Amino acid sequence: MKFTKNRISIEGIGHQRFWLGIVSGLLTAVILCLFFNYTREMLRFFTSINADLLVLSKYEFNFYNYFYSALSSTLGLSITIWVWMGNNKHSRKKDRLYKRYTQTNILLLFWAILLVISRFSSILTFVLYGTIGYDNQLDFVNDYWLLFVLLPCVIFLQSWFTVRLVYNSTKWILYSFISCSLFTLLLSFTTILNQEGINKTYYLRYQTEFDYIDNELEYARNRYNIEFNDSIKFILKKWYTQSSIRQVKDLKQSFSSNQKVTLETIILSKIVLHNLKVGSVSWYPRNSIENWYYASPNDIFNQIKKFNIKSDETKELFNLLKLQSDILFTPEINWDNIDDYSSFDFKKNRYVYHQMPKEIKSQLYEIIMEINADSNYVDYQYLFAHE
C-alpha cells in the first residue's frame, strides 16, 4: 500500500481537465466581479428612494473595487480546484474520498460566501443605508477593513487546505497566490464601474436645489467674503442624514434665541428654507406647527429689530422673509400643463398645500402688514408690494 502523497501536477490532473479548470475559474471570476459591481450600483440607487443616495468617496470606491476583485479571484480559484479534483486518477486508496470531500467543501464555501454577501448587502441597503438619519455611523472601510482583507484570504487558504489531503502542493499554492494577486489587479482595472452615472441621475433629480446651494454660496463668497467649509457644503446637499437634520434644527434654534444671528446663519437659513429641507421625521398631524422646521416669521422680524436698518444682516433677513412669502404664495399646479413643472415645483406645492402650518401663514400675513405700514422699512416694502 502507498501512504505518501504525490506532488500535484498537470499530468496527475490531466491536461484537458487542467485547462478546463483554468478557463472555468477565469470566467467565474470575471462574471462574479461584474455581478458584484453592477449589484453595488443597483443597491446604491435603491438607497435614494427613501433616503440620501449613498455616495462613496474615492478611497471607499477603490477599496470596495479591490475587495470585489480579490473576492472574485479567490472564488474563481476555488472553482478551478473543484474542476481539478474531479479526475479519477488515484494513487492511494483514500484519494477518491478526499477528492469528493474537497469538491463538497469548495462548493459549500462558494455558495455560503455568495449567500452571506447577498444577504448582508440587501440588509444594509434597505435597513441601514435606506433609513432616515443614517450618517455613516457604521464605517466599514475605516473601522472594519480587516474583515474585508481576511475574507479572500480565508477562501484561498480553505480551498488549498483540503487539496493537501491528496497532493503535496506547496509550490502551486505560491504560484496560485501570485496569479490571484495579478488577476485581482487586472479585474480592478477592467471591470470597474463609474459611479458618476447614478450620481448624475441623482443630481438631475435635485438640480434646482443643488444649483440654488451653489449660487448662494458663490454669492456669499463674492458679496460678503464668506467661505463655508466643505463639510457644511456636503451637509447642505443631504436631506435625511443625522447631520442634515441637526443642521436644520440648529438654524431654527439660533433665531429663537435672544442673541443676534450671524450673517452666515442667515444665508444657511435661506438655503435650508428654499430647499425645504427636513428637520425631523414628522409624525405630527397635517398643518401642525411642528411641521415647520425653519425660523418663524416672528423670530425673523425680531432679529430684524436688533440690527441697523442699513446693515447687511437686515438686508438678508428681509430676503429670508421674502423667501417665506414666495413659498406661502406658491400657485397651485395647473394639471392641464403638468409638463411645465419640475420635480421641485411638485415638492413645494405638496408642502405648501398639505403640510405648511396655518399659524405660520397667519404670522407672515401680520408681519407683512406691519412692514408695509411702517415708514422705517420703506426701503424694503417693495419686496412685499404684491403680497
Side-chain angles (χ1 to χ4, degrees):
M1 296 179 63
K2 185 175 182 179
F3 295 97
T4 59
K5 296 181 289 185
N6 291 336
R7 289 188 177 276
I8 188 170
S9 63
I10 297 177
E11 289 75 15
I13 296 172
H15 285 79
Q16 185 177 359
R17 184 173 294 275
F18 172 80
W19 290 111
L20 178 62
I22 294 293
V23 173
S24 300
L26 292 176
L27 288 176
T28 300
V30 172
I31 292 172
L32 284 178
C33 196
L34 289 172
F35 173 76
F36 288 146
N37 281 303
Y38 276 102
T39 302
R40 180 199 62 201
E41 291 303 291
M42 180 185 67
L43 294 179
R44 272 204 325 119
F45 170 77
F46 284 135
T47 63
S48 66
I49 296 178
N50 296 320
D52 293 285
L53 176 68
L54 178 63
V55 179
L56 303 174
S57 66
K58 184 177 180 180
Y59 172 73
E60 290 174 326
F61 182 78
N62 291 331
F63 180 87
Y64 285 121
N65 184 41
Y66 285 121
F67 167 70
Y68 290 141
S69 299
L71 183 64
S72 301
S73 296
T74 51
L75 289 174
L77 174 65
S78 67
I79 294 300
T80 295
I81 296 177
W82 178 80
V83 174
W84 288 350
M85 293 297 103
N87 70 78
N88 294 317
K89 296 180 180 180
H90 312 305
S91 61
R92 297 182 303 162
K93 192 172 183 179
K94 292 185 178 181
D95 280 357
R96 181 187 296 273
L97 178 62
Y98 287 151
K99 288 178 180 180
R100 298 295 85 80
Y101 168 70
T102 299
Q103 288 184 306
T104 303
N105 183 73
I106 286 174
L107 286 181
L108 175 63
L109 185 64
F110 180 87
W111 290 111
I113 291 297
L114 290 183
L115 288 173
V116 168
I117 294 294
S118 300
R119 178 57 61 88
F120 200 66
S121 299
S122 60
I123 290 177
L124 286 178
T125 300
F126 298 107
V127 178
L128 186 61
Y129 297 149
T131 301
I132 294 177
Y134 178 73
D135 202 3
N136 200 33
Q137 288 90 346
L138 189 59
D139 192 346
F140 286 100
V141 174
N142 293 311
D143 297 337
Y144 304 100
W145 61 270
L146 187 59
L147 293 176
F148 294 91
V149 175
L150 290 178
L151 186 57
C153 294
V154 168
I155 297 172
F156 177 85
L157 295 174
Q158 184 64 26
S159 297
W160 279 110
F161 172 76
T162 51
V163 174
R164 289 176 60 82
L165 296 174
V166 184
Y167 297 109
N168 285 319
S169 50
T170 305
K171 289 184 178 181
W172 280 50
I173 295 176
L174 177 61
Y175 296 154
S176 63
F177 177 78
I178 296 174
S179 299
C180 282
S181 300
L182 294 176
F183 196 62
T184 295
L185 293 176
L186 180 62
L187 286 177
S188 66
F189 289 110
T190 57
T191 61
I192 188 172
L193 292 181
N194 191 349
Q195 64 174 342
E196 289 304 315
I198 292 179
N199 292 353
K200 288 181 180 178
T201 302
Y202 183 75
Y203 172 81
L204 292 175
R205 177 181 172 185
Y206 295 107
Q207 183 175 5
T208 302
E209 293 92 321
F210 290 161
D211 287 347
Y212 185 83
I213 293 173
D214 294 335
N215 292 334
E216 282 297 309
L217 296 181
E218 182 71 19
Y219 168 77
R221 181 169 57 252
N222 296 334
R223 179 68 175 82
Y224 302 115
N225 198 28
I226 297 176
E227 187 72 41
F228 294 96
N229 59 47
D230 292 337
S231 62
I232 291 179
K233 297 176 184 178
F234 180 79
I235 295 173
L236 285 174
K237 294 187 178 182
K238 295 293 182 180
W239 304 103
Y240 304 105
T241 62
Q242 186 180 37
S243 56
S244 175
I245 293 173
R246 186 186 302 114
Q247 183 187 58
V248 177
K249 288 183 177 180
D250 291 343
L251 289 172
K252 180 179 180 179
Q253 291 175 358
S254 64
F255 275 83
S256 59
S257 66
N258 294 324
Q259 299 179 349
K260 291 182 178 181
V261 295
T262 63
L263 194 55
E264 292 87 343
T265 299
I266 301 172
I267 292 172
L268 291 177
S269 297
K270 286 170 55 182
I271 296 174
V272 165
L273 175 62
H274 176 274
N275 292 344
L276 298 175
K277 291 192 64 175
V278 176
S280 66
V281 180
S282 178
W283 301 105
Y284 299 101
R286 176 181 172 181
N287 294 327
S288 170
I289 190 64
E290 300 297 334
N291 293 328
W292 185 253
Y293 309 121
Y294 322 103
S296 68
N298 284 341
D299 288 338
I300 297 174
F301 195 54
N302 288 334
Q303 287 291 333
I304 289 175
K305 295 177 181 178
K306 296 178 181 181
F307 291 97
N308 185 283
I309 196 65
K310 300 295 184 180
S311 67
D312 292 332
E313 288 81 1
T314 300
K315 176 185 175 182
E316 293 302 329
L317 284 168
F318 269 103
N319 288 335
L320 178 59
L321 203 58
K322 170 61 176 175
L323 185 58
Q324 287 197 356
S325 175
D326 292 339
I327 294 175
L328 173 63
F329 293 102
T330 298
E332 291 193 59
I333 289 179
N334 182 0
W335 297 100
D336 295 330
N337 300 318
I338 192 173
D339 294 336
D340 297 336
Y341 298 93
S342 65
S343 59
F344 179 72
D345 294 325
F346 286 101
K347 173 183 177 181
K348 189 161 61 171
N349 266 264
R350 184 170 57 252
Y351 181 81
V352 170
Y353 293 101
H354 297 281
Q355 193 174 351
M356 189 172 183
K358 294 181 179 179
E359 292 92 331
I360 295 298
K361 297 179 181 179
S362 300
Q363 285 185 29
L364 193 55
Y365 277 123
E366 294 175 1
I367 295 298
I368 290 175
M369 291 178 62
E370 184 174 349
I371 291 173
N372 288 333
D374 194 333
S375 59
N376 292 323
Y377 305 121
V378 65
D379 293 336
Y380 301 101
Q381 290 175 355
Y382 73 95
L383 295 172
F384 312 100
H386 301 290
E387 312 299 3

